[in-house]
Amino acid sequence: MSIIATHSGGFHADDVFAVAALKLHLQHTEETAAEVVRTRNPEQIESCDYAIDVGGVYDPAAGRFDHHQAEGAGQRENGIPYAAFGLIWKEFGVELCEDEKIAEMIDKRLVQAIDAPDNGVSLTGEGEFEDAYPYYLASAVSVFNRTWKEPAEREDEAFAEMVEWATALLHREIEVAAHRLEGEKLVEEAYEQAADKRVIYMDQDLPWQGVLAKKEEPLFVVYPKDSGRWRLRAVPAEGNFESRAELPEAWRGKHDAELQQVTGVDTAIFCHKSLPMIVAEDKAGIDRLVELSLA
């Protein structure tokens, strides 16, 4: 049994597909079962056989596949940076596919389309990156059509499977849309109540991006997340990957003791390498980080 660590909290296509690919590799190439642990606890991560998208280390020989360190984890020849899915695929894709060409095709068709946005890189301008394009929902559906090697009756079976999948997706989209609408009303209330509209405080993690991007004043948003921890996030410009404000350069990619030393905040634990976000263990710490960010 192999133990795979990935981060707790919200998940993305990057960590979902990275874990899926590694589990497939372990099951089909090494004939090993796998258990997934979602955590941010350094000691627990260290004890696992693999760490994906968490831990701040890229070392394939040690089973570490994170790309959040300040220097990243490298990029492809076309300029697309590696995220966790790409790092796993780079290491195990050929073995999993049993063919280098097939692994390369999947990297171009699927893996890069997930790695790029996870690193803040847009693929909507076709041709900007050679052989890298968005992976649309239509592509996910069409791949279940039968190939020339499969019998005709496979079409009806696949269609029924995709209708079931689409039904579940529609139910989920309706539920999420209703929750988002309710949450956006609460964000509007938080904005209206803010004395200093450069920083919007919320008492829970709400869908704030679409609301605050349309307001002129907000630079940062603050909210609790993950077992009492607090986040300070920069508000992005509307329709843009750029942030309206950046955290201090000295904080970039640092965590724990190193971050605490440069900030002077003893509860600061993580700052994203792209400087849109910093995390503290408590509200007092995040309040101090807000002051420093606005100074």
Side-chain angles (χ1 to χ4, degrees), residues 120 213 235-243:
V235 175
E238 187 175 8
N240 200 320
F241 282 106
E242 301 290 331
S243 296

Side-chain angles (χ1 to χ4, degrees), residues 226-282:
D226 298 342
S227 303
R229 293 175 174 176
W230 283 76
R231 289 190 179 189
L232 167 64
R233 287 287 303 265
V235 175
E238 187 175 8
N240 200 320
F241 282 106
E242 301 290 331
S243 296
R244 291 181 178 175
E246 281 193 348
L247 302 173
E249 177 64 31
W251 302 357
R252 185 186 296 273
K254 292 183 171 59
H255 56 87
D256 298 324
E258 189 178 15
L259 180 60
Q260 292 160 16
Q261 182 177 6
V262 297
T263 62
V265 177
D266 61 8
T267 58
I269 56 175
F270 170 74
C271 183
H272 196 281
K273 67 179 182 179
S274 299
L275 295 178
M277 176 185 71
I278 190 167
V279 181
E281 291 281 7
D282 57 16

Side-chain angles (χ1 to χ4, degrees), residues 61-99:
R64 270 47 193 162
F65 298 90
D66 196 13
H67 67 110
H68 289 104
Q69 47 274 30
E71 68 277 12
Q75 63 182 33
R76 298 166 175 84
E77 291 184 4
N78 65 357
I80 301 293
Y82 285 101
F85 185 24
L87 295 176
I88 290 291
W89 198 255
K90 179 182 178 183
E91 187 69 17
F92 303 117
V94 174
E95 291 181 64
L96 189 56
C97 296
E98 299 182 350
D99 187 289

Side-chain angles (χ1 to χ4, degrees), residues 1-4 23 26-27 30-35 49:
M1 175 72 72
S2 292
I3 310 299
I4 303 171
K23 289 185 71 175
L26 293 172
Q27 292 166 4
E30 299 186 10
E31 298 184 354
T32 302
E35 177 184 342
D49 300 296

Side-chain angles (χ1 to χ4, degrees), residues 88-159:
I88 290 291
W89 198 255
K90 179 182 178 183
E91 187 69 17
F92 303 117
V94 174
E95 291 181 64
L96 189 56
C97 296
E98 299 182 350
D99 187 289
E100 184 175 356
K101 187 64 176 179
I102 293 174
E104 181 183 351
M105 290 170 63
I106 293 174
D107 183 70
K108 290 180 177 180
R109 173 174 167 80
L110 175 62
V111 186
Q112 293 187 37
I114 290 175
D115 278 15
D118 197 79
N119 281 295
V121 176
S122 174
L123 296 180
T124 53
E126 292 191 1
E128 183 176 356
F129 297 97
E130 185 178 357
D131 293 326
Y133 304 95
Y135 190 85
Y136 297 109
L137 183 62
S139 301
V141 173
S142 67
V143 77
F144 284 90
N145 280 292
R146 73 182 183 94
T147 70
W148 63 274
K149 293 187 70 174
E150 296 172 326
E153 55 267 24
R154 171 60 190 156
E155 287 185 345
D156 290 341
E157 295 173 2
F159 180 79

Side-chain angles (χ1 to χ4, degrees), residues 3-8 35-39 44 48:
I3 310 299
I4 303 171
T6 190
H7 62 79
S8 56
E35 177 184 342
V36 178
V37 176
R38 302 186 72 230
T39 181
Q44 193 171 13
C48 293

